[in-house]
Amino acid sequence: LTTLLTASARLPSTLAHWNYDRLIHNGKIVGDYYSYIRQTTNANSPITDITSLDMRCNAGGASGKKTQTYTIKAGDEIGFTVNNVFGHPGPQQVYISKAPAAVSDYDGSGSWTKIYSLTTKAITDQGLQWAGDGMTSFRFTIPSSVPAGEYLVRAEGLALHGAGEKGGAQWYMGCAQIKITGSGTGVLSPSVKIPGLYKADEPGILINIYYPTPTSYKVPGPALWPAGTQE
């Protein structure tokens, strides 16, 4: 049996866990901790039940009444700071969901579309090398074709260190409340519902990333929007 254990896999579990706690806009951190991101009630513990409503915006994230809404323009760069670090191997992805009215009143029960995916940077004879490994923040662009409105922007980290058995994958997520301005007329598609986004036994979720050494990785979830965006 191989001993291909990464440094992140050897971290004490609570140190390797994380939250998304502050918003970044055009390169600058805006607001205090959880000003614009719904605060969780489970400290930095993961969600492991993919059928749970907590898969939307984490435990405690169903309501945004205590969270402010931040205004940006379609085409702006935003991002999240991470408390403490991406401490487990796996992909980081971002989904958005348009609220029917005020996003602070929205529970995330509508449709979600994936706009960003940070996966492997290389696949070597030592296995999958993750682009987000060790990062303390990440940034991405809100597509310029996003229609104006109020949105939940959901950052999601999937930890695969225990994913060699069904139910072993861990999810970390946080939802920012964003008002997007502009003249975008894009149609957000494909769209998904959460829960229902993933299956526990699909290839990118049920995978032993250590042995036998993987030679490929299929990122879970729908295709990125807009069409043609590279993962």
Side-chain angles (χ1 to χ4, degrees), residues 76-129:
D76 281 358
E77 180 189 74
I78 66 170
F80 293 80
T81 65
V82 180
N83 185 5
N84 295 311
V85 65
F86 291 156
H88 287 308
Q92 313 293 326
Q93 306 198 86
V94 176
Y95 292 81
I96 62 173
S97 182
K98 193 173 189 293
V103 68
S104 58
D105 297 326
Y106 181 44
D107 64 357
S109 57
S111 297
W112 294 82
T113 301
K114 184 164 70 172
I115 64 167
Y116 177 79
S117 186
L118 183 69
T119 59
T120 55
K121 61 182 178 183
I123 301 176
T124 70
D125 57 2
Q126 295 186 341
L128 307 175
Q129 310 301 314

mmCIF file of all heavy atoms in Angstrom, residues 76-129:
data_model
loop_
_atom_site.group_PDB
_atom_site.id
_atom_site.type_symbol
_atom_site.label_atom_id
_atom_site.label_comp_id
_atom_site.label_asym_id
_atom_site.label_seq_id
_atom_site.Cartn_x
_atom_site.Cartn_y
_atom_site.Cartn_z
ATOM 1 N N ASP A 76 -17.307 42.850 -13.244
ATOM 2 C CA ASP A 76 -16.343 43.102 -12.169
ATOM 3 C C ASP A 76 -15.726 41.795 -11.676
ATOM 4 O O ASP A 76 -16.306 40.719 -11.810
ATOM 5 C CB ASP A 76 -17.020 43.793 -10.987
ATOM 6 C CG ASP A 76 -17.232 45.280 -11.200
ATOM 7 O OD1 ASP A 76 -16.826 45.800 -12.263
ATOM 8 O OD2 ASP A 76 -17.819 45.926 -10.304
ATOM 9 N N GLU A 77 -14.572 41.945 -11.060
ATOM 10 C CA GLU A 77 -13.929 40.816 -10.381
ATOM 11 C C GLU A 77 -14.325 40.836 -8.907
ATOM 12 O O GLU A 77 -14.261 41.880 -8.254
ATOM 13 C CB GLU A 77 -12.413 40.915 -10.500
ATOM 14 C CG GLU A 77 -11.681 39.765 -9.816
ATOM 15 C CD GLU A 77 -10.177 39.989 -9.765
ATOM 16 O OE1 GLU A 77 -9.732 40.826 -8.955
ATOM 17 O OE2 GLU A 77 -9.463 39.324 -10.538
ATOM 18 N N ILE A 78 -14.754 39.698 -8.406
ATOM 19 C CA ILE A 78 -14.994 39.558 -6.972
ATOM 20 C C ILE A 78 -14.267 38.309 -6.479
ATOM 21 O O ILE A 78 -13.636 37.585 -7.250
ATOM 22 C CB ILE A 78 -16.492 39.511 -6.617
ATOM 23 C CG1 ILE A 78 -17.167 38.251 -7.165
ATOM 24 C CG2 ILE A 78 -17.204 40.762 -7.103
ATOM 25 C CD1 ILE A 78 -18.573 38.050 -6.621
ATOM 26 N N GLY A 79 -14.375 38.048 -5.189
ATOM 27 C CA GLY A 79 -13.730 36.867 -4.630
ATOM 28 C C GLY A 79 -14.042 36.730 -3.157
ATOM 29 O O GLY A 79 -14.825 37.501 -2.592
ATOM 30 N N PHE A 80 -13.410 35.746 -2.545
ATOM 31 C CA PHE A 80 -13.632 35.432 -1.139
ATOM 32 C C PHE A 80 -12.288 35.248 -0.439
ATOM 33 O O PHE A 80 -11.359 34.659 -1.014
ATOM 34 C CB PHE A 80 -14.412 34.120 -0.989
ATOM 35 C CG PHE A 80 -15.834 34.169 -1.474
ATOM 36 C CD1 PHE A 80 -16.138 34.061 -2.822
ATOM 37 C CD2 PHE A 80 -16.884 34.302 -0.573
ATOM 38 C CE1 PHE A 80 -17.443 34.085 -3.278
ATOM 39 C CE2 PHE A 80 -18.200 34.331 -1.019
ATOM 40 C CZ PHE A 80 -18.478 34.220 -2.375
ATOM 41 N N THR A 81 -12.197 35.734 0.795
ATOM 42 C CA THR A 81 -11.078 35.321 1.631
ATOM 43 C C THR A 81 -11.466 34.043 2.355
ATOM 44 O O THR A 81 -12.646 33.752 2.544
ATOM 45 C CB THR A 81 -10.695 36.398 2.663
ATOM 46 O OG1 THR A 81 -11.773 36.587 3.592
ATOM 47 C CG2 THR A 81 -10.371 37.725 1.980
ATOM 48 N N VAL A 82 -10.450 33.291 2.736
ATOM 49 C CA VAL A 82 -10.653 31.966 3.317
ATOM 50 C C VAL A 82 -10.090 31.953 4.726
ATOM 51 O O VAL A 82 -8.957 32.368 4.967
ATOM 52 C CB VAL A 82 -9.947 30.890 2.462
ATOM 53 C CG1 VAL A 82 -10.144 29.511 3.066
ATOM 54 C CG2 VAL A 82 -10.467 30.918 1.038
ATOM 55 N N ASN A 83 -10.878 31.488 5.661
ATOM 56 C CA ASN A 83 -10.452 31.359 7.048
ATOM 57 C C ASN A 83 -10.431 29.865 7.396
ATOM 58 O O ASN A 83 -11.480 29.263 7.572
ATOM 59 C CB ASN A 83 -11.427 32.116 7.949
ATOM 60 C CG ASN A 83 -11.000 32.142 9.403
ATOM 61 O OD1 ASN A 83 -9.927 31.671 9.743
ATOM 62 N ND2 ASN A 83 -11.856 32.670 10.257
ATOM 63 N N ASN A 84 -9.286 29.214 7.398
ATOM 64 C CA ASN A 84 -7.936 29.738 7.396
ATOM 65 C C ASN A 84 -7.233 29.539 6.048
ATOM 66 O O ASN A 84 -6.566 30.412 5.542
ATOM 67 C CB ASN A 84 -7.106 29.036 8.491
ATOM 68 C CG ASN A 84 -7.607 29.352 9.868
ATOM 69 O OD1 ASN A 84 -7.825 30.505 10.200
ATOM 70 N ND2 ASN A 84 -7.802 28.339 10.685
ATOM 71 N N VAL A 85 -7.366 28.355 5.442
ATOM 72 C CA VAL A 85 -6.667 28.029 4.219
ATOM 73 C C VAL A 85 -7.387 26.860 3.559
ATOM 74 O O VAL A 85 -8.069 26.085 4.227
ATOM 75 C CB VAL A 85 -5.190 27.670 4.526
ATOM 76 C CG1 VAL A 85 -5.093 26.397 5.356
ATOM 77 C CG2 VAL A 85 -4.355 27.539 3.258
ATOM 78 N N PHE A 86 -7.280 26.763 2.215
ATOM 79 C CA PHE A 86 -7.773 25.559 1.549
ATOM 80 C C PHE A 86 -6.902 24.403 2.027
ATOM 81 O O PHE A 86 -5.839 24.131 1.480
ATOM 82 C CB PHE A 86 -7.675 25.686 0.033
ATOM 83 C CG PHE A 86 -8.613 26.682 -0.586
ATOM 84 C CD1 PHE A 86 -8.317 27.253 -1.811
ATOM 85 C CD2 PHE A 86 -9.803 27.034 0.031
ATOM 86 C CE1 PHE A 86 -9.175 28.173 -2.402
ATOM 87 C CE2 PHE A 86 -10.669 27.943 -0.553
ATOM 88 C CZ PHE A 86 -10.350 28.516 -1.772
ATOM 89 N N GLY A 87 -7.357 23.717 3.064
ATOM 90 C CA GLY A 87 -6.498 22.770 3.752
ATOM 91 C C GLY A 87 -6.666 21.331 3.350
ATOM 92 O O GLY A 87 -5.989 20.457 3.892
ATOM 93 N N HIS A 88 -7.562 21.039 2.425
ATOM 94 C CA HIS A 88 -7.741 19.676 1.930
ATOM 95 C C HIS A 88 -7.721 19.697 0.404
ATOM 96 O O HIS A 88 -8.139 20.670 -0.213
ATOM 97 C CB HIS A 88 -9.076 19.090 2.406
ATOM 98 C CG HIS A 88 -9.106 18.724 3.856
ATOM 99 N ND1 HIS A 88 -8.154 17.927 4.469
ATOM 100 C CD2 HIS A 88 -9.998 19.038 4.831
ATOM 101 C CE1 HIS A 88 -8.461 17.764 5.747
ATOM 102 N NE2 HIS A 88 -9.576 18.435 5.994
ATOM 103 N N PRO A 89 -7.277 18.625 -0.227
ATOM 104 C CA PRO A 89 -7.226 18.592 -1.686
ATOM 105 C C PRO A 89 -8.608 18.488 -2.307
ATOM 106 O O PRO A 89 -9.482 17.781 -1.811
ATOM 107 C CB PRO A 89 -6.403 17.325 -1.967
ATOM 108 C CG PRO A 89 -6.617 16.455 -0.767
ATOM 109 C CD PRO A 89 -6.746 17.391 0.384
ATOM 110 N N GLY A 90 -8.804 19.207 -3.423
ATOM 111 C CA GLY A 90 -10.069 19.157 -4.139
ATOM 112 C C GLY A 90 -10.334 20.439 -4.888
ATOM 113 O O GLY A 90 -9.589 21.413 -4.776
ATOM 114 N N PRO A 91 -11.419 20.468 -5.668
ATOM 115 C CA PRO A 91 -11.743 21.643 -6.477
ATOM 116 C C PRO A 91 -12.490 22.714 -5.685
ATOM 117 O O PRO A 91 -13.136 22.438 -4.682
ATOM 118 C CB PRO A 91 -12.640 21.066 -7.572
ATOM 119 C CG PRO A 91 -13.333 19.914 -6.899
ATOM 120 C CD PRO A 91 -12.330 19.326 -5.948
ATOM 121 N N GLN A 92 -12.389 23.939 -6.192
ATOM 122 C CA GLN A 92 -13.171 25.060 -5.681
ATOM 123 C C GLN A 92 -14.056 25.549 -6.831
ATOM 124 O O GLN A 92 -13.563 25.764 -7.941
ATOM 125 C CB GLN A 92 -12.265 26.206 -5.219
ATOM 126 C CG GLN A 92 -11.099 25.789 -4.353
ATOM 127 C CD GLN A 92 -11.540 25.261 -3.007
ATOM 128 O OE1 GLN A 92 -12.535 25.734 -2.457
ATOM 129 N NE2 GLN A 92 -10.809 24.303 -2.470
ATOM 130 N N GLN A 93 -15.360 25.747 -6.559
ATOM 131 C CA GLN A 93 -16.273 26.162 -7.615
ATOM 132 C C GLN A 93 -17.193 27.271 -7.106
ATOM 133 O O GLN A 93 -17.345 27.459 -5.899
ATOM 134 C CB GLN A 93 -17.082 24.970 -8.111
ATOM 135 C CG GLN A 93 -16.189 23.793 -8.546
ATOM 136 C CD GLN A 93 -16.904 22.799 -9.426
ATOM 137 O OE1 GLN A 93 -16.950 22.978 -10.645
ATOM 138 N NE2 GLN A 93 -17.467 21.756 -8.829
ATOM 139 N N VAL A 94 -17.804 27.996 -8.051
ATOM 140 C CA VAL A 94 -18.691 29.094 -7.695
ATOM 141 C C VAL A 94 -19.982 28.965 -8.499
ATOM 142 O O VAL A 94 -19.953 28.782 -9.727
ATOM 143 C CB VAL A 94 -18.055 30.470 -7.969
ATOM 144 C CG1 VAL A 94 -19.049 31.590 -7.668
ATOM 145 C CG2 VAL A 94 -16.794 30.646 -7.120
ATOM 146 N N TYR A 95 -21.111 29.096 -7.801
ATOM 147 C CA TYR A 95 -22.440 29.078 -8.402
ATOM 148 C C TYR A 95 -23.156 30.375 -8.052
ATOM 149 O O TYR A 95 -22.929 30.946 -6.979
ATOM 150 C CB TYR A 95 -23.266 27.907 -7.864
ATOM 151 C CG TYR A 95 -22.788 26.537 -8.282
ATOM 152 C CD1 TYR A 95 -21.722 25.916 -7.629
ATOM 153 C CD2 TYR A 95 -23.410 25.841 -9.314
ATOM 154 C CE1 TYR A 95 -21.285 24.650 -7.997
ATOM 155 C CE2 TYR A 95 -22.989 24.577 -9.687
ATOM 156 C CZ TYR A 95 -21.929 23.984 -9.027
ATOM 157 O OH TYR A 95 -21.506 22.729 -9.394
ATOM 158 N N ILE A 96 -24.055 30.827 -8.942
ATOM 159 C CA ILE A 96 -24.880 31.991 -8.645
ATOM 160 C C ILE A 96 -26.354 31.630 -8.813
ATOM 161 O O ILE A 96 -26.711 30.759 -9.604
ATOM 162 C CB ILE A 96 -24.531 33.208 -9.522
ATOM 163 C CG1 ILE A 96 -24.763 32.915 -11.015
ATOM 164 C CG2 ILE A 96 -23.107 33.663 -9.271
ATOM 165 C CD1 ILE A 96 -24.591 34.140 -11.902
ATOM 166 N N SER A 97 -27.197 32.321 -8.028
ATOM 167 C CA SER A 97 -28.640 32.099 -8.092
ATOM 168 C C SER A 97 -29.339 33.443 -7.949
ATOM 169 O O SER A 97 -29.109 34.180 -6.983
ATOM 170 C CB SER A 97 -29.092 31.148 -6.985
ATOM 171 O OG SER A 97 -30.482 30.888 -7.061
ATOM 172 N N LYS A 98 -30.193 33.773 -8.913
ATOM 173 C CA LYS A 98 -30.891 35.063 -8.912
ATOM 174 C C LYS A 98 -32.091 35.008 -7.969
ATOM 175 O O LYS A 98 -32.928 34.111 -8.052
ATOM 176 C CB LYS A 98 -31.356 35.415 -10.317
ATOM 177 C CG LYS A 98 -31.815 36.857 -10.495
ATOM 178 C CD LYS A 98 -32.090 37.132 -11.972
ATOM 179 C CE LYS A 98 -32.336 38.620 -12.220
ATOM 180 N NZ LYS A 98 -33.574 39.102 -11.600
ATOM 181 N N ALA A 99 -32.154 35.966 -7.062
ATOM 182 C CA ALA A 99 -33.271 36.048 -6.125
ATOM 183 C C ALA A 99 -34.490 36.623 -6.830
ATOM 184 O O ALA A 99 -34.369 37.498 -7.699
ATOM 185 C CB ALA A 99 -32.897 36.919 -4.937
ATOM 186 N N PRO A 100 -35.694 36.186 -6.458
ATOM 187 C CA PRO A 100 -36.901 36.741 -7.082
ATOM 188 C C PRO A 100 -37.178 38.174 -6.673
ATOM 189 O O PRO A 100 -37.874 38.899 -7.382
ATOM 190 C CB PRO A 100 -38.005 35.797 -6.594
ATOM 191 C CG PRO A 100 -37.465 35.174 -5.350
ATOM 192 C CD PRO A 100 -35.991 35.077 -5.536
ATOM 193 N N ALA A 101 -36.639 38.590 -5.549
ATOM 194 C CA ALA A 101 -36.801 39.966 -5.062
ATOM 195 C C ALA A 101 -35.532 40.312 -4.286
ATOM 196 O O ALA A 101 -34.428 40.184 -4.812
ATOM 197 C CB ALA A 101 -38.062 40.086 -4.214
ATOM 198 N N ALA A 102 -35.653 40.734 -3.031
ATOM 199 C CA ALA A 102 -34.479 41.045 -2.222
ATOM 200 C C ALA A 102 -33.725 39.770 -1.877
ATOM 201 O O ALA A 102 -34.325 38.798 -1.385
ATOM 202 C CB ALA A 102 -34.892 41.773 -0.949
ATOM 203 N N VAL A 103 -32.420 39.764 -2.108
ATOM 204 C CA VAL A 103 -31.644 38.556 -1.850
ATOM 205 C C VAL A 103 -31.594 38.237 -0.360
ATOM 206 O O VAL A 103 -31.438 37.085 0.037
ATOM 207 C CB VAL A 103 -30.225 38.689 -2.448
ATOM 208 C CG1 VAL A 103 -29.405 39.740 -1.704
ATOM 209 C CG2 VAL A 103 -29.506 37.345 -2.458
ATOM 210 N N SER A 104 -31.757 39.235 0.490
ATOM 211 C CA SER A 104 -31.748 38.993 1.935
ATOM 212 C C SER A 104 -32.935 38.138 2.377
ATOM 213 O O SER A 104 -32.909 37.536 3.450
ATOM 214 C CB SER A 104 -31.745 40.312 2.703
ATOM 215 O OG SER A 104 -32.872 41.100 2.353
ATOM 216 N N ASP A 105 -33.972 38.081 1.551
ATOM 217 C CA ASP A 105 -35.154 37.267 1.857
ATOM 218 C C ASP A 105 -35.147 35.923 1.125
ATOM 219 O O ASP A 105 -36.106 35.160 1.227
ATOM 220 C CB ASP A 105 -36.434 38.012 1.452
ATOM 221 C CG ASP A 105 -36.635 39.294 2.240
ATOM 222 O OD1 ASP A 105 -36.251 39.319 3.426
ATOM 223 O OD2 ASP A 105 -37.166 40.270 1.667
ATOM 224 N N TYR A 106 -34.078 35.633 0.409
ATOM 225 C CA TYR A 106 -34.032 34.475 -0.488
ATOM 226 C C TYR A 106 -33.331 33.297 0.178
ATOM 227 O O TYR A 106 -32.251 33.456 0.757
ATOM 228 C CB TYR A 106 -33.300 34.873 -1.763
ATOM 229 C CG TYR A 106 -33.166 33.811 -2.813
ATOM 230 C CD1 TYR A 106 -34.227 32.988 -3.168
ATOM 231 C CD2 TYR A 106 -31.947 33.630 -3.474
ATOM 232 C CE1 TYR A 106 -34.085 32.025 -4.151
ATOM 233 C CE2 TYR A 106 -31.801 32.684 -4.462
ATOM 234 C CZ TYR A 106 -32.864 31.870 -4.788
ATOM 235 O OH TYR A 106 -32.711 30.911 -5.757
ATOM 236 N N ASP A 107 -33.954 32.109 0.075
ATOM 237 C CA ASP A 107 -33.399 30.922 0.727
ATOM 238 C C ASP A 107 -32.591 30.025 -0.205
ATOM 239 O O ASP A 107 -32.130 28.958 0.194
ATOM 240 C CB ASP A 107 -34.520 30.100 1.379
ATOM 241 C CG ASP A 107 -35.510 29.536 0.356
ATOM 242 O OD1 ASP A 107 -35.372 29.831 -0.853
ATOM 243 O OD2 ASP A 107 -36.436 28.801 0.784
ATOM 244 N N GLY A 108 -32.429 30.438 -1.461
ATOM 245 C CA GLY A 108 -31.640 29.646 -2.386
ATOM 246 C C GLY A 108 -32.375 28.481 -3.014
ATOM 247 O O GLY A 108 -31.741 27.585 -3.585
ATOM 248 N N SER A 109 -33.690 28.484 -2.959
ATOM 249 C CA SER A 109 -34.483 27.369 -3.479
ATOM 250 C C SER A 109 -34.683 27.418 -4.993
ATOM 251 O O SER A 109 -35.242 26.487 -5.579
ATOM 252 C CB SER A 109 -35.851 27.329 -2.798
ATOM 253 O OG SER A 109 -36.542 28.555 -2.963
ATOM 254 N N GLY A 110 -34.215 28.484 -5.637
ATOM 255 C CA GLY A 110 -34.344 28.606 -7.082
ATOM 256 C C GLY A 110 -33.243 27.881 -7.824
ATOM 257 O O GLY A 110 -32.626 26.942 -7.318
ATOM 258 N N SER A 111 -32.962 28.324 -9.024
ATOM 259 C CA SER A 111 -31.973 27.678 -9.891
ATOM 260 C C SER A 111 -30.584 28.271 -9.679
ATOM 261 O O SER A 111 -30.437 29.473 -9.436
ATOM 262 C CB SER A 111 -32.384 27.832 -11.358
ATOM 263 O OG SER A 111 -33.605 27.169 -11.605
ATOM 264 N N TRP A 112 -29.564 27.410 -9.826
ATOM 265 C CA TRP A 112 -28.164 27.792 -9.654
ATOM 266 C C TRP A 112 -27.396 27.487 -10.939
ATOM 267 O O TRP A 112 -27.642 26.479 -11.598
ATOM 268 C CB TRP A 112 -27.536 27.030 -8.503
ATOM 269 C CG TRP A 112 -28.097 27.348 -7.152
ATOM 270 C CD1 TRP A 112 -29.232 26.828 -6.589
ATOM 271 C CD2 TRP A 112 -27.547 28.242 -6.182
ATOM 272 N NE1 TRP A 112 -29.418 27.347 -5.329
ATOM 273 C CE2 TRP A 112 -28.401 28.216 -5.053
ATOM 274 C CE3 TRP A 112 -26.417 29.059 -6.161
ATOM 275 C CZ2 TRP A 112 -28.159 28.968 -3.913
ATOM 276 C CZ3 TRP A 112 -26.165 29.817 -5.020
ATOM 277 C CH2 TRP A 112 -27.038 29.774 -3.914
ATOM 278 N N THR A 113 -26.415 28.344 -11.244
ATOM 279 C CA THR A 113 -25.590 28.176 -12.432
ATOM 280 C C THR A 113 -24.124 28.313 -12.047
ATOM 281 O O THR A 113 -23.761 29.218 -11.282
ATOM 282 C CB THR A 113 -25.953 29.242 -13.492
ATOM 283 O OG1 THR A 113 -27.336 29.105 -13.831
ATOM 284 C CG2 THR A 113 -25.112 29.080 -14.745
ATOM 285 N N LYS A 114 -23.278 27.439 -12.584
ATOM 286 C CA LYS A 114 -21.844 27.460 -12.254
ATOM 287 C C LYS A 114 -21.120 28.443 -13.160
ATOM 288 O O LYS A 114 -21.225 28.362 -14.387
ATOM 289 C CB LYS A 114 -21.251 26.062 -12.397
ATOM 290 C CG LYS A 114 -19.783 25.988 -11.982
ATOM 291 C CD LYS A 114 -19.317 24.549 -11.746
ATOM 292 C CE LYS A 114 -19.222 23.749 -13.010
ATOM 293 N NZ LYS A 114 -18.579 22.427 -12.775
ATOM 294 N N ILE A 115 -20.353 29.367 -12.547
ATOM 295 C CA ILE A 115 -19.636 30.371 -13.329
ATOM 296 C C ILE A 115 -18.123 30.290 -13.170
ATOM 297 O O ILE A 115 -17.394 31.007 -13.857
ATOM 298 C CB ILE A 115 -20.106 31.804 -12.976
ATOM 299 C CG1 ILE A 115 -19.787 32.139 -11.514
ATOM 300 C CG2 ILE A 115 -21.590 31.983 -13.280
ATOM 301 C CD1 ILE A 115 -19.929 33.628 -11.189
ATOM 302 N N TYR A 116 -17.636 29.429 -12.268
ATOM 303 C CA TYR A 116 -16.188 29.366 -12.024
ATOM 304 C C TYR A 116 -15.830 27.995 -11.486
ATOM 305 O O TYR A 116 -16.594 27.411 -10.702
ATOM 306 C CB TYR A 116 -15.786 30.436 -11.011
ATOM 307 C CG TYR A 116 -14.321 30.425 -10.615
ATOM 308 C CD1 TYR A 116 -13.343 30.975 -11.442
ATOM 309 C CD2 TYR A 116 -13.924 29.863 -9.408
ATOM 310 C CE1 TYR A 116 -12.004 30.964 -11.065
ATOM 311 C CE2 TYR A 116 -12.590 29.850 -9.027
ATOM 312 C CZ TYR A 116 -11.627 30.404 -9.861
ATOM 313 O OH TYR A 116 -10.316 30.387 -9.489
ATOM 314 N N SER A 117 -14.674 27.493 -11.911
ATOM 315 C CA SER A 117 -14.216 26.197 -11.427
ATOM 316 C C SER A 117 -12.692 26.198 -11.391
ATOM 317 O O SER A 117 -12.036 26.464 -12.400
ATOM 318 C CB SER A 117 -14.729 25.082 -12.346
ATOM 319 O OG SER A 117 -14.412 23.815 -11.840
ATOM 320 N N LEU A 118 -12.121 25.938 -10.232
ATOM 321 C CA LEU A 118 -10.676 25.857 -10.033
ATOM 322 C C LEU A 118 -10.361 24.414 -9.645
ATOM 323 O O LEU A 118 -10.694 23.975 -8.550
ATOM 324 C CB LEU A 118 -10.240 26.826 -8.934
ATOM 325 C CG LEU A 118 -8.742 26.907 -8.644
ATOM 326 C CD1 LEU A 118 -7.994 27.545 -9.809
ATOM 327 C CD2 LEU A 118 -8.486 27.702 -7.359
ATOM 328 N N THR A 119 -9.724 23.686 -10.546
ATOM 329 C CA THR A 119 -9.560 22.245 -10.332
ATOM 330 C C THR A 119 -8.080 21.887 -10.268
ATOM 331 O O THR A 119 -7.348 22.440 -9.462
ATOM 332 C CB THR A 119 -10.299 21.451 -11.411
ATOM 333 O OG1 THR A 119 -9.785 21.799 -12.714
ATOM 334 C CG2 THR A 119 -11.787 21.770 -11.388
ATOM 335 N N THR A 120 -7.634 20.966 -11.097
ATOM 336 C CA THR A 120 -6.240 20.548 -11.070
ATOM 337 C C THR A 120 -5.378 21.489 -11.905
ATOM 338 O O THR A 120 -5.800 21.995 -12.945
ATOM 339 C CB THR A 120 -6.089 19.115 -11.612
ATOM 340 O OG1 THR A 120 -6.663 19.050 -12.921
ATOM 341 C CG2 THR A 120 -6.779 18.115 -10.705
ATOM 342 N N LYS A 121 -4.148 21.717 -11.428
ATOM 343 C CA LYS A 121 -3.170 22.465 -12.231
ATOM 344 C C LYS A 121 -2.275 21.522 -13.014
ATOM 345 O O LYS A 121 -1.641 21.925 -13.995
ATOM 346 C CB LYS A 121 -2.325 23.369 -11.335
ATOM 347 C CG LYS A 121 -1.508 22.627 -10.278
ATOM 348 C CD LYS A 121 -0.745 23.589 -9.396
ATOM 349 C CE LYS A 121 0.032 22.843 -8.309
ATOM 350 N NZ LYS A 121 0.740 23.784 -7.397
ATOM 351 N N ALA A 122 -2.220 20.267 -12.572
ATOM 352 C CA ALA A 122 -1.414 19.260 -13.266
ATOM 353 C C ALA A 122 -1.824 17.885 -12.749
ATOM 354 O O ALA A 122 -2.381 17.752 -11.651
ATOM 355 C CB ALA A 122 0.073 19.489 -13.025
ATOM 356 N N ILE A 123 -1.553 16.875 -13.552
ATOM 357 C CA ILE A 123 -1.694 15.489 -13.130
ATOM 358 C C ILE A 123 -0.365 14.809 -13.420
ATOM 359 O O ILE A 123 0.042 14.696 -14.581
ATOM 360 C CB ILE A 123 -2.853 14.788 -13.856
ATOM 361 C CG1 ILE A 123 -4.178 15.518 -13.579
ATOM 362 C CG2 ILE A 123 -2.971 13.330 -13.402
ATOM 363 C CD1 ILE A 123 -5.368 14.968 -14.334
ATOM 364 N N THR A 124 0.328 14.407 -12.364
ATOM 365 C CA THR A 124 1.673 13.863 -12.497
ATOM 366 C C THR A 124 1.688 12.408 -12.061
ATOM 367 O O THR A 124 0.663 11.835 -11.683
ATOM 368 C CB THR A 124 2.658 14.667 -11.634
ATOM 369 O OG1 THR A 124 2.396 14.395 -10.234
ATOM 370 C CG2 THR A 124 2.498 16.174 -11.876
ATOM 371 N N ASP A 125 2.885 11.807 -12.086
ATOM 372 C CA ASP A 125 2.995 10.422 -11.628
ATOM 373 C C ASP A 125 2.785 10.299 -10.124
ATOM 374 O O ASP A 125 2.673 9.200 -9.588
ATOM 375 C CB ASP A 125 4.346 9.816 -12.024
ATOM 376 C CG ASP A 125 5.533 10.612 -11.506
ATOM 377 O OD1 ASP A 125 5.324 11.633 -10.806
ATOM 378 O OD2 ASP A 125 6.677 10.227 -11.808
ATOM 379 N N GLN A 126 2.687 11.445 -9.436
ATOM 380 C CA GLN A 126 2.358 11.460 -8.014
ATOM 381 C C GLN A 126 0.894 11.808 -7.770
ATOM 382 O O GLN A 126 0.489 11.981 -6.618
ATOM 383 C CB GLN A 126 3.272 12.435 -7.269
ATOM 384 C CG GLN A 126 4.735 12.001 -7.281
ATOM 385 C CD GLN A 126 5.600 12.901 -6.427
ATOM 386 O OE1 GLN A 126 5.230 14.025 -6.099
ATOM 387 N NE2 GLN A 126 6.768 12.401 -6.065
ATOM 388 N N GLY A 127 0.115 11.902 -8.823
ATOM 389 C CA GLY A 127 -1.323 12.095 -8.655
ATOM 390 C C GLY A 127 -1.804 13.474 -9.041
ATOM 391 O O GLY A 127 -1.148 14.207 -9.785
ATOM 392 N N LEU A 128 -2.966 13.836 -8.511
ATOM 393 C CA LEU A 128 -3.632 15.096 -8.836
ATOM 394 C C LEU A 128 -2.995 16.248 -8.068
ATOM 395 O O LEU A 128 -2.861 16.189 -6.841
ATOM 396 C CB LEU A 128 -5.120 15.003 -8.482
ATOM 397 C CG LEU A 128 -5.883 13.813 -9.077
ATOM 398 C CD1 LEU A 128 -7.315 13.768 -8.536
ATOM 399 C CD2 LEU A 128 -5.898 13.880 -10.593
ATOM 400 N N GLN A 129 -2.624 17.280 -8.775
ATOM 401 C CA GLN A 129 -2.059 18.488 -8.167
ATOM 402 C C GLN A 129 -3.092 19.601 -8.284
ATOM 403 O O GLN A 129 -3.485 19.981 -9.388
ATOM 404 C CB GLN A 129 -0.759 18.886 -8.870
ATOM 405 C CG GLN A 129 0.244 17.757 -9.035
ATOM 406 C CD GLN A 129 0.665 17.141 -7.725
ATOM 407 O OE1 GLN A 129 0.983 17.865 -6.760
ATOM 408 N NE2 GLN A 129 0.676 15.817 -7.657
#
